[in-house]
Amino acid sequence: MAPGPVEAALRARRDAGGKSLVVYVTGGLGDDWTDTLRAVADAGADAVEVGIPFSDPVMDGPTIQAANDRALASGATPAGILDGLRGLDAGAPLAVMTYYNIAFRMGLERFAASLADAGVSGCILPDLPLEETGPWAEAADAAGVETILLAAPTGEDDRLRRVCERSRGFVYGVGLLGVTGVRDELAASASVIAARLKQVTDLPVLVGVGVGTPAQAVEASAAGDGVVVGSAVVQRMVDGAGPAGVAELVAGFRAALDVG
Amino acid sequence: MGLADPTPDGRFGQFGGRYVPETLVPACEGLEAAFREAWADPAFRTDLDDLLRDYAGRPSPLTECANLSEELGCRLLLKREDLNHTGSHKINNVLGQALLAQRMGKTRLVAETGAGQHGVATATAAALLDMECCVYMGEVDIHRQELNVFRMRLLGAEVRSALSGSRTLKDAVNEAMRDWVATVEGSHYCLGSVMGPHPYPWMVRTFHEVLGREAREQSEALLGAPPDVVTACVGGGSNAIGIFSGFVDADTELVGVEPAGGAAVGRGVPGVVHGMESYLMQDEFGQVLEAESISAGLDYPGVGPEHSYLAASGRARYEAVTDAEVVEAFQLLSRTEGIIPALEPAHALAWVSRARGELAGRSVLLNLSGRGDKDVAQMMEVLRPAEGGGEA
Ligand SMILES: Cc1ncc(COP(=O)(O)O)c(C=O)c1O
């Protein structure tokens, strides 16, 4: 099977000797969230993750929870967010990040088709572990949507291998034991999970959760192929920095990764 | 023959499963293996039985309600889980899980709590077994169940306030799961009902089957046969599944009672949250709705997966009662039998009272899952205006 747009973009970055930057943006947060998304891509993100807010985000810390709640309070819905993405020429492939019940409620096939229809290439469901992925992954495969799986530090090597085999786009290495959020220092487990995943897969390996500064991004991508940055960016959005302010932050990550 | 075991992937029919972040999968697998091994070990079973008898006070009695039976026109029996140490059925599960956690080398218990009964039970077990204990409780519940917050702290537990969402039980579960994601190496998540990812619904049920076994024996000794109807309140569903387990193979009607504002079976559609597929109160987009009930312990938009299965298969039925009916029932049992119930089992009694026509002449066993001490302050507030109105 030919790689999808997310995987192709990240492989291209790697083949050119660079480190990938994937940036998470909460969908429906503020009126200008699609402008922010485009600005993030322009500032050097290789792919953009768009969060569809869920009422009970168990893998998220206070920053993304608050952003979720705010977007929901202002009326964000899955269909509304996908409408915002449809026809948007973001300049980078898009992946949706949400929780399984959002897909389950809409119906797995319908949800997968609506992602494809909105021009979304990939999907991340952090509460859907390998054993429960089957029905969703089949629906996503059929619709041509890349299912990006998380791989955790608690997994044995054999489990990491099986996760990588079923993952599409890239494999999302969880950088620490915990939920999303900026920490003062990068956890030692970030480099360890990247190195362990690199041993078992040729897919791009990105580390996310707890990567909050350009310096941490450089450190976390040394052993792997890049990073996912979420809470730091969402905090900027919540602070009202606007598309330009968020882009400035993202450009800082890009520059640091390019220098290495 | 009791309730059937779940499939190897933790399903009761279509319901159940293990929908947790990757980080927690090895912990759930390890817990399942440890539970299977411990449950098959006579030494573990003896330790647990000894604690249940000498520390928790099992078996709990069965009380026939002469006065109330006359008033309602049925033969009403109560399984007295309110007389257990710590005041509710929750201790059965907690002693089992705490012993298991200790056996697994864990040194810290994490728990969620609604009414505070599960939190108090967990704090109690932690004190007894010298473990650390952290209990998450919604901010709303911290206020309405202040007494239990104080008890937990007195027992040496840390009580953390869940400030997100509806600030009730659902949000306390989210916070407890986030804690566990970060502390999984040394902590055991001591979940308080028959919900969550596999193996919890099955493991928690197994720890509560003791009350169903006792109730079967006691009711048959009294009636010469199993009762016609067995009823219990349903939040996550642990006290109900415990008593149902003793009668599922009998010709007994099983009735779970939910609060009208948290009727997952009555008003929900299948959904996935907190690690399981089950009936769930949610909107058209899949956002979980906030439950609304006078009782903190039942203020939950979901329900354990086995209840969804029992409802879908028709083996049990589920009714909903309003807060006003519950307040009536709370007073009714106090006045007629000298037993102040917790607001949660008052739901089951509210249904019995409403259904007295249907129940006339039949024997009804109600699981009195907890005592009302924790609710007295709240009920003082609720009942004061009515008294001020000069009820003759
Ligand atoms: C006395 C009592 N009964 C019932 C419940 C509800 O839990 P479950 O449905 O798991 O029995 C609680 C929960 O706090 C409780 O304290």
Side-chain angles (χ1 to χ4, degrees), chain B residues 108-113 116 118-120 122-124 126-127 131-137 142 148-162 176 179 183 187:
Chain B
R108 176 175 178 265
L109 298 177
V110 184
E112 84 295 338
T113 198
H118 175 62
V120 166
T122 306
T124 297
M131 299 173 88
E132 231 186 294
C133 180
C134 176
V135 181
Y136 290 90
M137 190 167 186
I142 285 187
N148 274 343
V149 175
F150 182 74
R151 290 169 81 196
M152 287 184 266
R153 291 191 169 135
L154 194 62
L155 291 161
E158 183 189 351
V159 180
R160 292 191 190 157
S161 171
D179 182 306
T183 61
S187 295

Side-chain angles (χ1 to χ4, degrees), chain B residues 88-90 115 117 193 233-239 297-298 342 344-345 369-370:
Chain B
S88 80
H89 70 291
K90 300 282 183 187
Q117 289 301 108
S193 192
C233 65
V234 176
S238 66
N239 87 87
L298 305 183
E344 291 79 16
S369 57

Side-chain angles (χ1 to χ4, degrees), chain B residues 1-21:
Chain B
M1 269 290 292
L3 292 160
D5 283 347
T7 61
D9 57 349
R11 289 187 186 265
F12 304 90
Q14 78 180 83
F15 302 104
R18 183 180 280 158
Y19 297 91
V20 291

